[in-house]
Amino acid sequence: MTSLICATDVSVSHADADLPVLSHVDFHIVPAEIVTVVGPNGSGKSTLVRALLGHVALATGRVQRAPALRIGYVPQRVHIERAMPMTVRRFLSLPRRVSDAQASAALERTGVPGLEGRQITALSGGQFQRVLLARALLNDPQLLVLDEPTQGLDQPGIVAFYKLIEEVRAETGVAVLMVSHDLLVVMRASDRVVCLNGHVCCEGTPQVVSAAPAYRAMFGAESQGTLALYQHHHDHDHDHVAEGHSHGPACAHTH
């Protein structure tokens, strides 16, 4: 299957850093796949996202994107000036104007219908995240990119948000790339998990990543909860985990 995005041997350096932020990373994502990138603070997760989207310069490697790839993006932080009035309806038309019907359908799809007239600054954290997701879905993306999308939400809100992501994928066939710290919930929502700490430490299905020594070393006691969860919910075999240096993504190319 042809990848939507295929990154090969990607390294990224910052001018003020002695070591590269990312070192020789391979990555790919195919249609309708949910891939989650996990790792400690400073591991390069958000940098990888920016590299995949073409927002940072590469020191090595290359990133190939499918022609005319439509991407919906939910950023890690959005600053809304509280002194500036802005309704949800107006927000959904930034930066590209959409019709009332499109805005209404997007809010309906993400579980917050009827918010068009509400001020953005009056929304709860969960409502705001769903409005962000609605805006990301407005251009009918082939790939949905979520960078720490549940920051500030309580546990029920986190669970509900990821359940919504799974429903959107099932309904639309969109591929989803997530960056997250919410290990337990993310593991349940993902088809494939990539553990990043400047390089790819391990990757594979959630069950096998949960059992990988690199994952356990990275997350300590918290990793035991994800392993116990998967031992309880799954008793069938999965593909093997890949640890250490990656030997290239499974990318299919058209010529």
Side-chain angles (χ1 to χ4, degrees):
M1 183 180 294
T2 301
S3 298
L4 298 175
I5 292 183
C6 176
T8 307
D9 194 39
V10 165
S11 301
V12 176
S13 298
H14 292 334
D16 57 349
D18 295 331
L19 298 174
V21 181
L22 294 176
S23 182
H24 306 293
V25 171
D26 294 331
F27 177 89
H28 73 284
I29 186 168
V30 300
E33 185 180 28
I34 297 182
V35 178
T36 301
V37 179
V38 299
N41 290 332
S43 61
K45 301 186 298 296
S46 292
T47 299
L48 175 60
V49 168
R50 291 195 293 271
L52 295 175
L53 297 180
H55 297 166
V56 295
L58 307 183
T60 69
R62 65 175 182 167
V63 175
Q64 296 171 281
R65 288 174 285 274
L69 179 63
R70 300 187 307 277
I71 298 174
Y73 181 48
V74 177
Q76 187 175 124
R77 294 180 182 87
V78 176
H79 176 70
I80 303 293
E81 179 56 55
R82 299 194 68 84
M84 182 178 69
M86 180 180 292
T87 64
V88 168
R89 176 67 186 88
R90 182 182 172 196
F91 180 73
L92 291 178
S93 278
L94 298 175
R96 183 178 61 88
R97 182 163 184 79
V98 298
S99 70
D100 289 344
Q102 288 173 311
S104 178
L107 293 173
E108 180 80 33
R109 174 180 282 172
T110 57
V112 284
L115 290 185
E116 289 91 338
R118 187 84 62 86
Q119 290 293 316
I120 282 286
T121 53
L123 300 178
S124 68
Q127 288 173 328
F128 184 55
Q129 288 306 110
R130 287 169 181 257
V131 168
L132 285 176
L133 179 60
R135 189 175 72 160
L137 293 173
L138 279 168
N139 69 332
D140 189 25
Q142 298 160 281
L143 174 63
L144 185 60
V145 179
L146 310 170
D147 191 356
E148 297 284 7
T150 58
Q151 282 191 345
L153 300 187
D154 59 15
Q155 191 63 27
I158 291 170
V159 172
F161 187 82
Y162 286 123
K163 184 174 184 294
L164 173 61
I165 294 301
E166 291 182 275
E167 292 170 355
V168 168
R169 188 269 297 264
E171 178 186 340
T172 67
V174 68
V176 182
L177 168 59
M178 293 191 287
V179 171
S180 184
H181 284 100
D182 307 312
L183 295 182
L184 280 170
V185 183
V186 159
M187 285 297 198
R188 296 177 66 176
S190 304
D191 298 317
R192 184 160 50 92
V193 178
V194 177
C195 295
L196 194 69
N197 197 6
H199 64 284
V200 176
C201 301
C202 59
E203 68 174 299
T205 59
Q207 183 187 23
V208 291
V209 167
S210 295
Y215 175 82
R216 294 193 194 185
M218 190 179 297
F219 293 107
E222 194 173 359
S223 71
Q224 299 307 307
T226 57
L227 180 60
L229 173 77
Y230 263 80
Q231 287 174 333
H232 176 71
H233 285 286
H234 298 272
D235 58 3
H236 54 276
D237 292 332
H238 288 264
D239 296 333
H240 70 281
V241 67
E243 288 205 57
H245 180 71
S246 177
H247 296 286
C251 300
H253 304 296
T254 56
H255 299 279

